[in-house]
Amino acid sequence: MRSLSFIFIALLLFSCTSADHDKVFVPGLKEPVELVRDQWGINHIYAKNQHDLFFAQGYAAAKDRLFQFEIWRRQATGTVSEILGERELKRDIGTRLFKYRGDMTQEMNYYHKDGVEIITAYANGVNAYIEEILKTPEQLPIEFQILNIKPGKWTPEVVISRHQGLLGNIEEELQLGRAVAKLGAATVKDLSWFHPKDPVIDLDPRIDQELLFQDILELYKAYRKPVAFQESDVQEAYKSMAYETALLTPKVEREDPRSIGSNNWVVSGSLMADGNTYMANDPHRTIAVPSLRYMTHLVAPGWNVIGGGEPEIPGISIGHNEYGTWGLTVFETDGEDLYVYELNPENPNQYKYKDQWVDMTIITETIKVKGREDEHVDLKYTQHGPVVYVDGAQHVAYAVRCAWLEPGGSPYLASLRMDQAKTWEEFREACNYSHIPGENMVWADKKGNIGWQAVGIAPVRNNFSGMVPVPGNGSYEWDGYLPIVQKPNALNPTNGFIATANQSVTPEEYDHWNAIGYSWADPYRGDRINEVLASGTNMTMEDMKSLQVDYLSLPARTLVPLLTVLPMPGKVKEARDKLVQWDYKLEASSVEAAIYVAFENQLRKLANDSFIPMAGKGIIDNIQMKKVMDWIEYPDDRFGANPTVGRNKFLFRAFVNGIADLQATLGDDMDQWQYGQEKFKHTYMAHALGGVVNEETRAKLDLGPLPRGGNSFTPGSTGANNRQHSGASFRMIVNTGDWDAAIGTNGPGQSGDPDSPFYDNLFESWAKDQYFPVFYSRGKIDSVAVSKTYLQPQAKQ
């Protein structure tokens, strides 16, 4: 594995103590900017004015993540077909169909009162680096050589794209509609875990249910999926042999979307040994190389904020300034609905709305496609939104209404307002602009306050749940949006902490239920976090770290005692007996953890096989763990005439299947059944091009494997798959009484350039659940600096 060697660090540190520092002349700057890079790869940017601060953030981020930026730009602009050909045409159509087409000044200034200046400066900074590197194209990162492409220029429209956001539930909505069509609403509810209220999911009789099984959301899904490369995209010098591809391409397992989540909490000083408030956040998303998040420190008049965000947008989404600290997790908010229209048989561009034929809006676009002539497409819109599918034979059309196409719908950009908040009141006001995604924003400050505000643009639905498709004839309309500050919130609760983990946290006394979602993550991560914090006194930073990477499984704590009373034979009994004194922690290298997880995996599989009716197979993919656990704890007639006996047989069968799976995968020697190995729970970060290049090139791009612990139900979440697909690549814990005491992780590294020492320098420490200091004061930063760069305005001619 490549890593940042001590020699390299020492050389860089020596260079920082000398009189010579790198100077780069950058057209577009107004005044000089200093970039100080610490040994973990964070750029600390010191500017003399706001324009230059965000210009430099764009410049530095593009330098670190240029290939990621180029693919983002093409996804955002619907120009992937230009480099990958016809197979990406539907992606580009979908991107243009869902493009924000409103007033750009209104859009940019929604995120910050100086949004036009900030976003434009950021894009110009990106372009300044692109212009610089294109003077020496041979120095472009290796991905550009592999594909024989060059980066293109950015515009503010690229920055405000919605293409990679956590946007809504439209795919779940169609899936539920199909399930109701096949099984009926009662059966679907029995198999689902809707709460805290009971949604109406009956289909309107005016909808032809059989037509719901067409590929209605093809364009939507096409533009939302990651870009996948093929061997034909690769230049000859980098191509793999067929046998290499077959042997080395790691299998990608499908993951239950509900198993992907995040944790955050804020703790009052009354519970902490030092009396300070603390904030901890570990957002869980796809584990990838480069990291989804990018850490930066932004310093200029009016700005001094450090933390992480998505690299392609200005500002900091999770972090702290001089006054307070904040973090986020998903708060279920349904901002999408699927509308079904009757079309005019005489004019397919007209749909019926309130007994009138209404013309669709049509926009024509031209898409460049590699290897063939340009494609001209007509993009159609109803008053609700983009038309994603037209069934001409049945005179039916489908459109998606998207709250995120309102001004301010670009993910995380409203963090710009949060970055300058000085008080809880200012932070909450900033939250009022945070449309996407729906989040639990938590806050802790130096004055001792801790707070929570749910954010996200939330349609008000007075006569329907938003959980299944509805007619677009005017019968099912949104009644505007709930003001964000009226979403659930709290300040300084008596228990001394606030914690969220994507579970339902809306209090029972809340009264705006017509703007609250019904589908939430399983409660186990959140329950474990609450359990630890509620029992804590005189807690320390070490306690916060331990909880963030806690691998104790609450489902195991419930299920294992049920197994101990079951008679079991031979090797199965030997395996079961190992669990009797187990501490329920899914630690890497633990045989007990491997036995339990193999059982849990088979338990969930058996539940899906046994309880999803045949007509629902392929529609309902997975029964949520909480539902399965409820059935097991309180067995009913689904287990037979004697529910307890039937439940025990069910558990026995799942356990036997789990042991058989371990034997087939890891052999008969139980001592070799450790959790956290390449065949059972590991991390392997595969570059987007890793599977289509030769072995030598792949070795530069891909990282791993390394052992992992945990699963999707532990606070230290590592997802449900054997190869970790989701979890926290980025973590941060902040002590508001000492900003220099903040710590973080960001695996595998800050850079996306495989030739950079910061590409994978954090990979091994991240996999071992280790942290590094996130220094804030200039003295501390200089003490760990490995390079300093001065960006100079271009001299006037």
Side-chain angles (χ1 to χ4, degrees):
M1 177 188 298
R2 303 172 310 278
S3 62
L4 188 61
S5 69
F6 291 114
I7 295 174
F8 179 81
I9 294 175
L11 287 173
L12 287 177
L13 284 170
F14 176 79
S15 71
C16 287
T17 62
S18 66
D20 295 327
H21 303 296
D22 288 339
K23 287 186 179 181
V24 180
F25 290 95
V26 183
L29 283 174
K30 296 179 179 180
E31 298 179 89
V33 175
E34 185 179 8
L35 267 63
V36 180
R37 188 148 209 173
D38 68 30
Q39 68 187 60
W40 300 282
I42 298 177
N43 279 313
H44 302 262
I45 302 174
Y46 297 89
K48 297 179 180 180
N49 61 76
Q50 178 175 271
H51 169 276
D52 288 351
L53 179 67
F54 290 101
F55 183 101
Q57 186 186 10
Y59 175 93
K63 187 172 184 178
D64 270 336
R65 302 289 186 98
L66 189 59
F67 181 66
Q68 189 180 25
F69 269 49
E70 173 61 9
I71 298 304
W72 175 287
R73 182 188 71 82
R74 289 193 174 277
Q75 288 179 278
T77 55
T79 55
V80 180
S81 301
E82 192 173 349
I83 60 169
L84 299 185
E86 191 169 5
R87 73 173 193 270
E88 294 290 351
L89 180 57
K90 287 181 180 177
R91 176 197 300 277
D92 289 346
I93 295 172
T95 299
R96 297 175 190 224
L97 188 62
F98 284 93
K99 177 183 176 180
Y100 177 76
R101 296 181 181 275
D103 179 85
M104 279 298 293
T105 298
Q106 177 190 17
E107 165 76 0
M108 289 191 281
N109 284 340
Y110 192 92
Y111 305 110
H112 190 278
K113 64 182 179 62
D114 300 327
V116 169
E117 178 188 57
I118 290 170
I119 295 171
T120 303
Y122 185 86
N124 288 343
V126 172
N127 290 337
Y129 179 71
I130 291 172
E131 290 178 1
E132 178 184 309
I133 192 65
L134 286 179
K135 293 176 182 176
T136 54
E138 70 280 0
Q139 296 181 20
L140 283 166
I142 190 173
E143 296 98 333
F144 292 93
Q145 320 295 338
I146 292 170
L147 297 173
N148 192 28
I149 62 172
K150 292 181 180 178
K153 294 293 188 66
W154 277 46
T155 65
E157 285 81 2
V158 176
V159 179
I160 61 92
S161 168
R162 281 86 157 135
H163 74 278
Q164 284 190 336
L166 299 172
L167 300 177
N169 74 333
I170 197 68
E171 293 185 59
E172 179 189 16
E173 189 172 315
L174 180 57
Q175 180 189 39
L176 278 173
R178 290 169 172 171
V180 170
K182 289 293 187 183
L183 303 175
T187 299
V188 172
K189 283 191 175 184
D190 179 59
L191 297 171
S192 305
W193 189 44
F194 297 131
H195 66 289
K197 298 297 181 180
D198 183 24
V200 175
I201 60 171
D202 301 276
L203 288 168
D204 189 295
R206 289 169 289 191
I207 291 178
D208 187 334
Q209 299 181 5
E210 292 302 314
L211 300 183
L212 293 177
F213 293 87
Q214 301 173 97
D215 200 359
I216 294 168
L217 294 178
E218 181 183 23
L219 294 176
Y220 177 94
K221 291 187 291 186
Y223 107 94
R224 301 274 288 128
K225 67 183 180 182
V227 174
F229 297 97
Q230 297 180 2
E231 190 175 354
S232 59
D233 304 323
V234 174
Q235 294 296 291
E236 198 65 37
Y238 298 97
K239 284 186 177 180
S240 65
M241 302 296 290
Y243 77 91
E244 290 180 339
T245 302
L247 289 174
L248 297 176
T249 300
K251 180 181 178 183
V252 178
E253 305 161 272
R254 184 175 180 182
E255 184 143 37
D256 173 15
R258 294 276 168 228
S259 72
I260 301 173
S262 306
N263 307 318
N264 68 13
W265 60 86
V266 282
V267 184
S268 167
S270 63
L271 298 181
M272 302 302 299
D274 60 11
N276 300 324
T277 59
Y278 278 68
M279 188 284 298
N281 191 196
D282 51 304
H284 306 165
R285 294 281 295 279
T286 299
I287 296 296
V289 55
S291 170
L292 177 72
R293 311 286 176 180
Y294 183 73
M295 299 182 75
T296 314
H297 185 188
L298 304 173
V299 185
W303 300 86
N304 191 356
V305 57
I306 190 170
E310 302 218 359
E312 302 88 350
I313 61 174
I316 300 296
S317 302
I318 300 161
H320 71 83
N321 57 24
E322 309 102 307
Y323 308 97
T325 177
W326 57 94
L328 53 83
T329 70
V330 165
F331 179 91
E332 181 70 21
T333 302
D334 182 1
E336 297 174 327
D337 277 326
L338 184 62
Y339 284 94
V340 186
Y341 304 90
E342 177 187 349
L343 295 181
N344 185 350
E346 305 301 321
N347 182 352
N349 293 326
Q350 289 184 329
Y351 61 99
K352 184 167 284 188
Y353 184 79
K354 293 185 176 179
D355 296 324
Q356 301 289 324
W357 293 118
V358 179
D359 290 331
M360 295 180 186
T361 299
I362 301 176
I363 298 173
T364 300
E365 294 249 345
T366 299
I367 302 174
K368 292 186 179 299
V369 183
K370 181 181 179 180
R372 49 158 282 191
E373 61 187 27
D374 296 351
E375 181 81 9
H376 305 285
V377 295
D378 288 338
L379 308 176
K380 300 180 180 181
Y381 300 84
T382 71
Q383 65 190 65
H384 296 119
V387 176
V388 290
Y389 190 82
V390 175
D391 183 345
Q394 301 298 324
H395 310 298
V396 175
Y398 303 82
V400 179
R401 186 171 188 185
C402 316
W404 43 269
L405 283 177
E406 298 284 354
S410 184
Y412 303 110
L413 255 178
S415 299
L416 286 166
R417 293 179 180 270
M418 301 175 193
D419 292 348
Q420 293 184 296
K422 298 178 180 178
T423 64
W424 162 248
E425 291 75 21
E426 289 185 12
F427 181 76
R428 194 161 174 244
E429 170 61 19
C431 286
N432 205 34
Y433 292 86
S434 187
H435 277 181
I436 294 292
E439 300 278 17
N440 295 289
M441 300 301 308
V442 294
W443 164 271
D445 62 33
K446 291 181 70 69
K447 295 180 179 179
N449 296 305
I450 60 172
W452 160 57
Q453 176 67 60
V455 305
I457 187 168
V460 175
R461 299 177 179 86
N462 289 324
N463 69 322
F464 68 116
S465 67
M467 296 298 289
V468 294
V470 293
N473 61 3
S475 301
Y476 298 90
E477 296 296 332
W478 296 352
D479 188 17
Y481 301 103
L482 182 72
I484 287 175
V485 290
Q486 292 183 25
K487 296 184 79 169
N489 59 85
L491 177 65
N492 296 327
T494 56
N495 66 354
F497 68 89
I498 302 168
T500 78
N502 312 120
Q503 83 280 35
S504 177
V505 289
T506 305
E508 291 183 7
E509 63 271 19
Y510 188 69
D511 55 4
H512 297 292
W513 293 106
N514 55 2
I516 298 292
Y518 299 94
S519 300
W520 302 84
D522 290 283
Y524 306 111
R525 286 182 293 108
D527 287 350
R528 172 61 178 164
I529 293 166
N530 286 327
E531 175 182 88
V532 172
L533 294 178
S535 63
T537 56
N538 293 316
M539 291 185 290
T540 66
M541 175 65 84
E542 287 302 314
D543 294 315
M544 300 295 100
K545 288 166 59 177
S546 295
L547 182 53
Q548 232 178 25
V549 297
D550 183 283
Y551 289 147
L552 189 139
S553 167
L554 292 188
R557 203 162 68 184
T558 297
L559 291 169
V560 168
L562 295 176
L563 292 172
T564 59
V565 301
L566 301 182
M568 294 186 177
K571 200 172 188 73
V572 175
K573 180 181 184 299
E574 182 185 351
R576 190 275 311 276
D577 289 348
K578 280 186 172 290
L579 301 182
V580 173
Q581 300 299 321
W582 179 47
D583 60 6
Y584 310 118
K585 294 180 179 179
L586 307 183
E587 301 285 358
S589 79
S590 166
V591 171
E592 292 86 352
I595 292 170
Y596 170 76
V597 173
F599 157 66
E600 184 186 274
N601 290 344
Q602 291 298 321
L603 181 79
R604 301 186 72 194
K605 181 180 184 299
L606 187 59
N608 293 334
D609 292 344
S610 301
F611 302 130
I612 298 174
M614 187 58 64
K617 305 288 188 186
I619 302 173
I620 299 176
D621 295 323
N622 179 68
I623 302 173
Q624 209 161 341
M625 185 62 168
K626 177 61 166 66
K627 197 76 174 181
V628 177
M629 291 290 290
D630 286 348
W631 293 340
I632 289 172
E633 288 191 82
Y634 311 101
D636 58 18
D637 59 6
R638 79 186 66 244
F639 291 104
N642 188 326
T644 300
V645 171
R647 185 275 311 274
N648 289 345
K649 289 180 178 179
F650 180 85
L651 291 172
F652 174 81
R653 183 180 169 192
F655 194 78
V656 169
N657 290 348
I659 299 308
D661 188 49
L662 286 172
Q663 288 178 299
T665 305
L666 303 178
D668 288 330
D669 184 355
M670 202 175 295
D671 291 337
Q672 302 302 312
W673 290 2
Q674 297 96 347
Y675 200 54
Q677 56 176 290
E678 187 171 355
K679 292 183 178 180
F680 198 12
K681 204 58 178 183
H682 67 284
T683 180
Y684 182 97
M685 292 190 181
H687 189 284
L689 287 164
V692 295
V693 293
N694 57 44
E695 189 172 356
E696 179 184 357
T697 308
R698 181 196 301 260
K700 290 174 63 73
L701 302 179
D702 289 3
L703 304 175
L706 289 177
R708 298 292 282 147
N711 70 1
S712 58
F713 305 127
T714 56
S717 177
T718 55
N721 295 342
N722 287 343
R723 173 190 161 202
Q724 183 182 359
H725 178 261
S726 68
S729 60
F730 168 86
R731 295 189 182 100
M732 198 164 182
I733 307 175
V734 180
N735 173 356
T736 66
D738 181 0
W739 299 125
D740 282 327
I743 58 175
T745 64
N746 192 33
Q750 286 288 101
S751 177
D753 182 354
D755 289 322
S756 167
F758 301 109
Y759 181 70
D760 68 342
N761 63 308
L762 304 177
F763 179 53
E764 187 169 347
S765 61
W766 165 82
K768 292 179 177 179
D769 293 332
Q770 297 171 351
Y771 295 77
F772 60 82
V774 181
F775 289 139
Y776 188 65
S777 67
R778 185 61 194 261
K780 286 283 192 180
I781 292 163
D782 284 343
S783 73
V784 293
V786 295
S787 68
K788 293 184 180 181
T789 303
Y790 293 97
L791 305 182
Q792 303 281 357
Q794 187 72 43
K796 293 183 179 179
Q797 300 296 322

